[in-house]
């Protein structure tokens, strides 16, 4: 099980709800993936109020836990405003905090992120900060009271996987009591398995599911990949070697001159 702010869940796979062909496809993918937590952008839903209400009603009937996010925000003030609206609409103190600092890479603004986190936590929010893999930024977020951090693997929607695996491994070592969710850049099930093998507690996937030829089948693939990666981490994987080591011992075997 994985814990988020005192709540436990069986699934270590979180999924986003944007860019799918239809609301029905989202629901089918949630089911096939086994995900119990889904993210939802208040900004996106507000753009099409009637369609957004229908989608929200469908999600409520699916009994998943909603993690609202501040996707698309570029300033502290904007993110805080969206967070307050989300708390009122979704009736949850949870907020996935995103403040974008660069439009091309969608890289988080670390300065705005830390400041907004400080304000929101003081106002009773339970913050899931979307951040880079930088350990100093993570230290600031944890010291403010974040029990969860969500480092990126690569730019959002790029599908490049984890660009700096050692940094993710370092976060696990530095913050053993913090729940770490690999967020952004995941493109393949193997990327999700790698994140779990590095010690992440969970993985958030959106684009890799939504843009797959068969999102429902891909949801099942990611479910299995996350499970395999977690088992690999907890099972204790062998250390890498520079040279070959025979897998079959030769001591005691007969030989001929």
């Amino acid at each position: 099980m994985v814990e988020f702010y005192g709540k436990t869940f069986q699934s270590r796979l979180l999924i986003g709800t944007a860019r799918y062909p239809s609301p029905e496809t989202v629901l089918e993918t949630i089911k096939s993936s086994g995900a119990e937590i889904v993210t939802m952008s208040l900004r996106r839903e507000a753009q099409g109020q009637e369609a957004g209400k229908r989608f929200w009603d469908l999600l409520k009937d699916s009994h998943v836990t909603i993690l609202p996010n501040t996707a698309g925000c570029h300033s502290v003030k904007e993110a805080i405003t969206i967070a307050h609206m989300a708390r009122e609409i979704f009736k949850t103190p949870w907020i996935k905090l995103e403040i974008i600092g660069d439009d091309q890479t969608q890289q988080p603004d670390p300065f705005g992120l830390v400041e907004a986190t400080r304000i929101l936590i003081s106002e009773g929010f339970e913050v899931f900060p979307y951040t880079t893999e930088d350990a100093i930024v993570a230290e600031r977020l944890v010291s403010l009271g974040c029990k969860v951090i969500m480092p990126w693997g690569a730019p959002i929607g790029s599908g490049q996987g984890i660009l700096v695996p050692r940094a993710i491994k370092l976060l696990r070592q530095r913050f053993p009591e913090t729940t770490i969710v690999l967020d952004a850049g995941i493109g393949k099930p193997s990327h999700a398995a790698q994140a779990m093998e590095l010690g992440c507690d969970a993985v958030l996937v959106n684009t890799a599911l939504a843009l797959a030829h068969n999102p429902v089948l891909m949801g099942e693939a990611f479910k299995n990949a996350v499970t395999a990666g977690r088992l690999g981490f907890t099972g204790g994987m062998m250390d890498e070697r520079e040279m070959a080591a025979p897998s079959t011992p030769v001591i005691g075997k007969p030989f001929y001159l």
Side-chain angles (χ1 to χ4, degrees), residues 151-233:
W152 71 346
I156 292 174
S158 68
Q160 296 179 54
I162 303 173
L163 298 182
V164 192
R166 288 182 181 273
I168 301 301
K169 188 175 182 179
L170 175 62
L171 289 179
R172 177 72 291 158
Q173 295 169 350
R174 287 278 299 274
F175 308 102
E177 303 301 321
T178 302
T179 301
I180 299 176
V181 183
L182 201 287
D183 179 16
I186 295 295
K188 305 173 184 177
S190 58
H191 296 158
Q194 182 189 20
M196 301 303 293
E197 290 172 353
L198 290 170
C200 290
D201 296 287
V203 172
L204 172 61
V205 183
N206 188 168
T207 308
L209 294 174
L211 300 189
H213 293 298
N214 188 329
V216 178
L217 188 60
M218 191 61 70
E220 184 177 358
F222 270 97
K223 177 179 69 175
N224 293 332
V226 167
T227 298
R230 180 63 182 180
L231 288 173
F233 176 74

Side-chain angles (χ1 to χ4, degrees), residues 1 29 31 45 51-53 60 64 111 113 151 157 160 172 178 184 201 217 232 234 245:
M1 294 189 294
T29 304
K31 183 177 180 180
E45 295 310 315
K53 183 179 183 304
K60 284 192 293 186
V64 294
F111 308 103
L113 179 66
Q160 296 179 54
R172 177 72 291 158
T178 302
D201 296 287
L217 188 60
T234 55

